[in-house]
Structures are given as structure tokens and as C-alpha cells.
Amino acid sequence: METLPTGISVLDREFGGGLPSGSVVVLKADPASQSELIVDRFSRPRECRYLTTVRSADAVEASLALGGAEAGDDGESDGERGDSEGGAGETVVEETDREAPLDDVLATAAELSDGATLVVDSVEPLEASDRSRYGSFLTDLRRHVADAGGIAVLHAFKGETGRNRVVTEQVADVVFDLRTTVTGTEIANRLIVPKFRGGAALEEPLKLKLTDTVSVDTSRDIA
């Protein structure tokens, strides 16, 4: 099984090079967090089809353009990393049909190039579907991603989620749980990986700095 870089080098080091090809990944986060920065990084190492279900395609493209030259977690720019993370590929952003988002996502997944990334941002409108149909959708999505040897990233917001969220997490191969806490002195972001099918989940949270870039937070926690 080939390993594909995530676009975040500290994760790639933890996971022995990246994520297994064919994986369906769920990134859970608070709606008011900076989780879009992580999704941005996932979209960069390879060719990517980026499907937006809520925001406009123009808004997503503008956001991706702003992050195009940002530094990675090890302080190297995208240009400096070059082929060390598999080489950057083209990202095509499209809006899903609000009336038939499941069909749109499956049609795009069926057209994925070898080793490409599919991003769905965000998954809530899909989870609003009938449970039986949504389960079949996830099964078909996994099959298309496995056939392409790529990765699917489902951006999932916490809060008032429907009953299909448990189905999303059950079917997913990898679950990233971004937890953002606010105190009187700091905003702390910790990435937890409780599920990693085909690999080893992280034994402890990874503290991240999410400003306009993604980096490792090396500051010490003070009780």
C-alpha cells in the first residue's frame, strides 16, 4: 500500500510518510476554528478536486491563493519543499449541486486521477441525506478513492450534527479531531488522531499553532 503525504510534514513523520492510499479521512473541528488551514494543506501535495458544499467556489479559491506561499510546520515554504512532499499539483475548486450533493461528489470521485486528493468541505449537507442512501454513498466513495489510489478528506464540523455523523466516523479510515480551547491567556489547538485504519494512531495530542499557517506549537503548557 502506497503512502501519500498529507501536506503537513510533522504528520508525515508521525505516520511514516503520510496516509495509506485509498483512505477516507474525516477532519472534525469547531466551526469557529482555523481548521480550514489544515484542509488547505491536505489539498496541496498532489492534484486535488476540492468540492465546496457551503462556501462559494470564489471564496475557496481566494483562501487557497492566500495560503499558496505559506510556510509549513517545519518553516520551509512550499517552493523549498518541492518534490520532497510529492510535488504540488493543480487544485480544481467546484461547488456541489445543492439539490444533489451526493451525486456530485460521487461523480467527481469516479473521475479522480491516480493518487489524487478529493476534498469535501463541508460534509454536513451530505449527512442530511437519508441514512440508507448516505451509507451507500460512503461505500461507493471508498471504492472510487481506493480505485484511484488517492485520498478523500471530509471536513466535518462539530456541534449540532445529525445522526449520520456516527456513520461518517465509522466508515472513515482515519479520524482527525481538532480541539480548540480558549483560556484567558491563549488559544490552544490540539490535534488528536483516535482512529487510523492501516496504521498507528497518535498516542498523545499534537499541539499546533494555527495562525495564517500550520506549525507545531513548542510552547510549554502551564498548569
Side-chain angles (χ1 to χ4, degrees):
M1 185 180 299
E2 185 180 1
T3 299
L4 301 178
T6 64
I8 303 174
S9 57
V10 66
L11 292 182
D12 295 338
R13 289 194 294 269
E14 293 285 347
F15 299 146
L19 301 173
S21 61
S23 295
V24 174
V25 181
V26 173
L27 170 62
K28 301 194 301 177
D30 293 327
S33 72
Q34 288 279 72
S35 59
E36 289 175 4
L37 292 174
I38 297 177
V39 178
D40 179 300
R41 305 317 297 172
F42 278 135
S43 73
R44 295 190 179 278
R46 297 167 298 281
E47 180 181 328
C48 177
R49 300 289 298 276
Y50 194 121
L51 300 181
T52 173
T53 63
V54 177
R55 293 191 295 162
S56 70
D58 288 344
V60 173
E61 289 174 346
S63 177
L64 294 175
L66 286 174
E70 74 181 23
D73 56 273
D74 51 9
E76 295 176 338
S77 69
D78 287 340
E80 290 169 333
R81 284 199 300 269
D83 294 336
S84 66
E85 294 201 1
E90 179 185 9
T91 297
V92 177
V93 181
E94 298 172 301
E95 298 177 32
T96 59
D97 186 333
R98 302 299 168 87
E99 300 300 321
L102 298 182
D103 295 337
D104 268 7
V105 173
L106 287 182
T108 301
E111 299 173 350
L112 279 182
S113 302
D114 291 344
T117 298
L118 171 66
V119 170
V120 179
D121 180 20
S122 61
V123 75
E124 285 74 30
L126 281 65
E127 291 177 330
S129 304
D130 172 81
R131 187 162 195 168
S132 177
R133 187 182 180 205
Y134 184 65
S136 297
F137 158 78
L138 289 176
T139 298
D140 291 341
L141 176 64
R142 293 190 79 255
R143 175 171 53 84
H144 289 315
V145 174
D147 288 345
I151 291 175
V153 178
L154 308 180
H155 195 191
F157 290 119
K158 302 175 185 178
E160 296 183 4
T161 59
R163 62 175 184 167
N164 280 332
R165 175 56 53 84
V166 67
V167 181
T168 302
E169 295 183 27
Q170 181 180 1
V171 172
D173 300 292
V174 182
V175 175
F176 290 111
D177 185 354
L178 180 66
R179 300 185 182 182
T180 302
T181 57
V182 181
T183 67
T185 58
E186 71 167 357
I187 299 175
N189 293 284
R190 290 174 174 82
L191 186 65
I192 298 171
V193 185
K195 181 179 183 181
F196 196 122
R197 189 178 289 144
L202 296 183
E203 294 184 349
E204 58 186 31
L206 181 65
K207 193 174 182 183
L208 298 177
K209 290 178 65 176
L210 301 175
T211 53
D212 57 344
T213 63
V214 180
S215 59
V216 177
D217 190 341
T218 58
S219 64
R220 297 178 59 186
D221 290 320
I222 300 176

